[in-house]
Amino acid sequence: MTDFQKIVTHPGGAHKDEFLACSLLIAEYNLPVFRQEPETSDIENPSVAVVDVGHLHQPEKGNFDHHQFPRDARPTCALSLILQYLGLYEDACAFCEWLKPAEWFDCRGAIRTAEWLGVDRQVMFKLSSPIDFTLLKRFSAASVWQPGDTVWEM
């Protein structure tokens, strides 16, 4: 595995998948997070973890994006890719029953996820957590997160 020096993820509104993917990388490598579009130098530098942006999945080069996968591919999100990279995906699937629905929600949206789960789509909106919204809103609010910052520490 690579010793990453920093994480780059997309600016703008944050989603649970890249927030949790960045959280795992922070726990493993103690890295700052830069919320910006990646430069070509970031994508080509294996010491930069480029997460949920860049249109490449090349773990050996530190690129962890799922947006270029075909629409009919198995639902996979940035969190899935980081869990796979860290060798934790199978354990996470076994112990985190929310992971597969999170993958579906990120890739397919609320309506298709509700159909897949066999529930009314209104159920999906009732499951939204104020904790998720609060953390994601705070994560979205800054372009850099580093040790000592409240959201980074969380």
Side-chain angles (χ1 to χ4, degrees), residues 3 7 11 14 21-22 25 32 34 36-37 51 72-73 81 84 87 93 104 106-107 119 122 125 128 133 143:
D3 278 337
I7 302 166
C22 290
L25 289 171
F34 296 85
Q36 64 190 38
E37 291 298 331
V51 177
D72 59 348
L81 299 178
Q84 290 168 11
C93 287
W104 267 81
D106 191 73
C107 293
V119 299
Q122 293 303 315
F125 302 109
S128 297
F133 289 127
S143 59

Side-chain angles (χ1 to χ4, degrees), residues 57-135:
H57 179 235
Q58 300 170 316
E60 70 283 359
K61 292 184 178 180
N63 297 304
F64 303 96
D65 195 8
H66 65 100
H67 293 101
Q68 74 285 352
F69 293 168
R71 295 280 303 155
D72 59 348
R74 181 184 64 78
T76 303
C77 63
L79 174 60
S80 312
L81 299 178
I82 295 299
L83 286 166
Q84 290 168 11
Y85 179 76
L86 296 173
L88 300 171
Y89 185 75
E90 296 305 322
D91 288 342
C93 287
F95 294 102
C96 303
E97 292 186 35
W98 54 266
L99 180 57
K100 292 286 184 189
E103 291 171 325
W104 267 81
F105 194 90
D106 191 73
C107 293
R108 305 288 198 264
I111 294 171
R112 293 212 37 219
T113 302
E115 290 169 357
W116 173 70
L117 291 170
V119 299
D120 185 274
R121 68 184 188 178
Q122 293 303 315
V123 169
M124 300 306 294
F125 302 109
K126 292 177 182 175
L127 293 174
S128 297
S129 166
I131 295 170
D132 290 346
F133 289 127
T134 302
L135 280 173

Side-chain angles (χ1 to χ4, degrees), residues 135-148:
L135 280 173
L136 294 176
K137 185 176 179 181
R138 289 290 304 266
F139 186 62
S140 297
S143 59
V144 178
W145 291 106
Q146 52 195 349

Side-chain angles (χ1 to χ4, degrees), residues 9-87:
T9 192
H10 61 80
H15 301 115
K16 192 184 305 189
D17 72 315
E18 82 266 7
F19 176 80
L20 292 174
C22 290
S23 296
L24 284 171
L25 289 171
I26 287 168
E28 184 71 21
Y29 299 104
N30 202 34
L31 306 170
V33 178
F34 296 85
R35 301 193 70 253
Q36 64 190 38
E37 291 298 331
E39 302 288 332
T40 301
S41 59
D42 295 324
I43 291 170
E44 293 174 354
N45 185 345
S47 70
V48 177
V50 180
V51 177
D52 207 37
V53 66
H55 298 287
L56 293 169
H57 179 235
Q58 300 170 316
E60 70 283 359
K61 292 184 178 180
N63 297 304
F64 303 96
D65 195 8
H66 65 100
H67 293 101
Q68 74 285 352
F69 293 168
R71 295 280 303 155
D72 59 348
R74 181 184 64 78
T76 303
C77 63
L79 174 60
S80 312
L81 299 178
I82 295 299
L83 286 166
Q84 290 168 11
Y85 179 76
L86 296 173

